[in-house]
Amino acid sequence: MREIVLINITGSDRTGLTAAITGVLAQGGVNILDIGQAVIHDTLSFGILVEVPGGEQSPVLQHVLSTAQGLEQQVRLTAVSEADYRNWVANEGKDRHIVTLLSRQITAEQVQRVSAITARHGLNIERIDRLSARLPLDVSTGLSKACIEFSVQGAAADPQALRAEFLGLAQELDIDVAFQEDSLFRRNRRLAVFDMDSTLIEAEVIDELAKAAGVGEQVSAITERSMAGELDFRASFKERLALLKGLDVSVLDSIGASLRLTEGAETLFAELKRLGYKTAILSGGFTYFARQLQAKLGIDYVFANELEVVDGKCTGVAVEPIVDAQRKADLLRELAAKEGLSLEQTIAVGDGANDLPMLGIAGLGVAFRAKPLVRKSAKQVISTLGLDGVLYLLGMQDRHGRN
């Protein structure tokens, strides 16, 4: 005779508890069918699904009870029928997804609203993990970052409707909610490509050049419409560049020195490098400034537009090939092939309409602090945190303050 029993143990976390309980089970020749453990604020929740010779009245279960009670733990034993176990095993192959909640500070309302949406679409939450470090009570929410990850099972009948609900909730509560398949590729990506202006840096360089040329407002208006998808990038780029004709190149150094990296950029690139990623800038901006970022962040590849200069003055003429939306997507494909990777193993991050093609073909495409059209069209969106929020979408925990 055999019985399947779920053992739930809760109480204050104690060193050696897991060894003590499994040691008792080992003496009884018990098979472990499933096991899970979590500790929150030094409080333990420990579950073991076991196959016990001799059933619920087995001496080994009584020994587990006495051992746990001796360690000041509460124990609950639940019999599981073989039919229920077989059904549970059969469901193992069902679709699994990851829902990631990113915010400056996690609130109960955020968790309730996210979990309600998942339930409404027929998805069952199996596990919740905190990926971000523990937050001190007195930290400024403007500087903090918080992230929890829901592992969910099931297939949404209408994934587009689910994503639309998550996007609407994100805008309402000023959070980000990502929904992605829990696949092998999620933790096996090896190439990350980035737009530069308003993604890696907190500026549109062509707008800064235009200010120096005295045509700032005119160029900024064209840039805004181009990034929002209202104008063709290639045509608008040539139009803006023509307005820079005669600009003295001496201003490039001062503008380059004033450019600020986006929040989280240095952390993200340091971590990607540690993990062995290849990185690239694919930018409709200018190579002059992209090279500066390459040196600062240790970026492997740079593809951007050349600013043609004659006799120390900008000519206002575009140098072909222009890095536009299609060129970015083509370059992503070429780099993936060069590195021997599938597109599923790539990450693309950008903010403008000209980034959408590359975001669409990347395994993980992230619209970062993007225009409404781009947020609506991209697979994933980060608007609340800095660039290092991308690491959470890969399932990475902060290196400090882990559970």
Side-chain angles (χ1 to χ4, degrees):
M1 179 181 176
R2 67 180 182 186
E3 288 285 344
I4 299 173
V5 179
L6 176 60
I7 305 171
N8 290 110
I9 300 173
T10 58
S12 297
D13 187 30
R14 300 181 62 137
T15 301
L17 185 147
T18 302
I21 298 299
T22 54
V24 172
L25 296 174
Q27 291 174 16
V30 168
N31 292 327
I32 293 178
L33 303 176
D34 196 16
I35 187 169
Q37 179 174 309
V39 177
I40 299 179
H41 196 60
D42 294 328
T43 298
L44 171 75
S45 179
F46 183 26
I48 319 175
L49 186 66
V50 296
E51 184 182 21
V52 184
E56 283 189 84
Q57 302 307 314
S58 168
V60 70
L61 292 179
Q62 297 305 313
H63 196 181
V64 167
L65 285 170
S66 61
T67 300
Q69 289 167 358
L71 294 170
E72 300 180 332
Q73 303 294 310
Q74 296 180 333
V75 184
R76 184 179 68 191
L77 303 179
T78 306
V80 177
S81 71
E82 290 196 18
D84 285 344
Y85 178 74
R86 290 193 184 98
N87 184 60
W88 178 71
V89 171
N91 287 331
E92 186 71 15
K94 282 191 173 180
D95 293 344
R96 279 179 162 74
H97 293 83
I98 298 294
V99 178
T100 311
L101 167 59
L102 306 96
S103 182
R104 292 296 180 179
Q105 187 174 47
I106 301 297
T107 68
E109 180 184 11
Q110 294 167 3
V111 175
Q112 186 276 325
R113 297 283 294 278
V114 169
S115 58
I117 290 174
T118 62
R120 191 157 55 247
H121 285 265
L123 302 175
N124 180 55
I125 298 172
E126 293 191 324
R127 178 181 176 129
I128 302 175
D129 294 295
R130 173 175 52 81
L131 302 187
S132 53
R134 298 184 178 107
L135 288 176
L137 291 174
D138 56 353
V139 69
S140 168
T141 55
L143 301 174
S144 64
K145 57 181 181 178
C147 177
I148 57 177
E149 177 183 278
F150 304 79
S151 297
V152 302
Q153 185 187 61
D158 189 342
Q160 289 301 111
L162 173 63
R163 290 181 185 276
E165 280 200 59
F166 279 147
L167 182 60
L169 178 65
Q171 293 173 335
E172 179 186 345
L173 299 185
D174 193 23
I175 60 176
D176 293 311
V177 185
F179 177 71
Q180 54 183 317
E181 183 182 357
D182 189 10
S183 69
L184 171 67
F185 291 112
R186 182 166 174 255
R187 290 181 172 86
N188 192 35
R189 296 189 168 107
R190 287 296 176 266
L191 170 65
V193 304
F194 299 83
D195 175 47
M196 179 174 67
D197 296 26
S198 297
T199 299
L200 292 181
I201 56 175
E202 296 180 342
E204 292 287 337
V205 171
I206 197 166
D207 291 352
E208 300 305 310
L209 293 172
K211 291 175 186 177
V215 291
E217 291 186 7
Q218 190 174 351
V219 169
S220 291
I222 300 171
T223 300
E224 184 70 20
R225 293 183 65 196
S226 175
M227 293 299 99
E230 298 175 12
L231 299 174
D232 173 73
F233 177 83
R234 175 178 287 269
S236 68
F237 178 73
K238 290 183 177 181
E239 181 181 357
R240 286 175 289 168
L241 197 58
L243 293 170
L244 301 182
K245 183 178 181 179
L247 178 67
D248 197 294
V249 295
S250 63
V251 304
L252 299 183
D253 287 337
S254 60
I255 290 175
S258 69
L259 296 176
R260 295 177 53 188
L261 287 173
T262 299
E263 175 193 359
E266 289 175 298
T267 299
L268 173 60
F269 277 86
E271 196 64 17
L272 291 178
K273 184 175 182 178
R274 186 180 73 86
L275 293 170
Y277 274 71
K278 292 294 185 179
T279 55
I281 291 176
L282 308 183
S283 174
F286 300 109
T287 305
Y288 180 90
F289 302 100
R291 293 294 183 195
Q292 293 180 342
L293 288 182
Q294 181 181 31
K296 184 176 294 186
L297 296 174
I299 296 171
D300 296 291
Y301 302 103
V302 165
F303 297 91
N305 293 310
E306 293 294 336
L307 192 61
E308 187 179 70
V309 175
V310 175
D311 296 330
K313 304 287 185 180
C314 296
T315 66
V317 175
V319 178
E320 297 288 348
I322 294 173
V323 179
D324 58 7
Q326 187 57 52
R327 177 73 174 143
K328 287 187 178 188
D330 292 343
L331 286 167
L332 175 54
R333 288 191 180 93
E334 291 172 17
L335 289 174
K338 180 177 181 179
E339 295 296 333
L341 303 171
S342 71
L343 285 173
E344 279 289 345
Q345 292 177 277
T346 68
I347 301 169
V349 184
D351 72 295
N354 65 320
D355 296 312
L356 281 173
M358 74 172 184
L359 299 185
I361 65 172
L364 176 63
V366 181
F368 179 74
R369 298 182 181 177
K371 307 298 185 293
L373 171 68
V374 185
R375 289 200 303 270
K376 184 177 180 180
S377 304
K379 296 176 185 176
Q380 310 299 344
V381 176
I382 294 179
S383 298
T384 306
L385 302 185
L387 272 175
D388 52 344
V390 171
L391 297 171
Y392 293 139
L393 302 188
L394 303 179
M396 293 183 58
Q397 291 183 312
D398 288 340
R399 285 179 292 173
H400 303 291
R402 293 182 181 182
N403 282 323

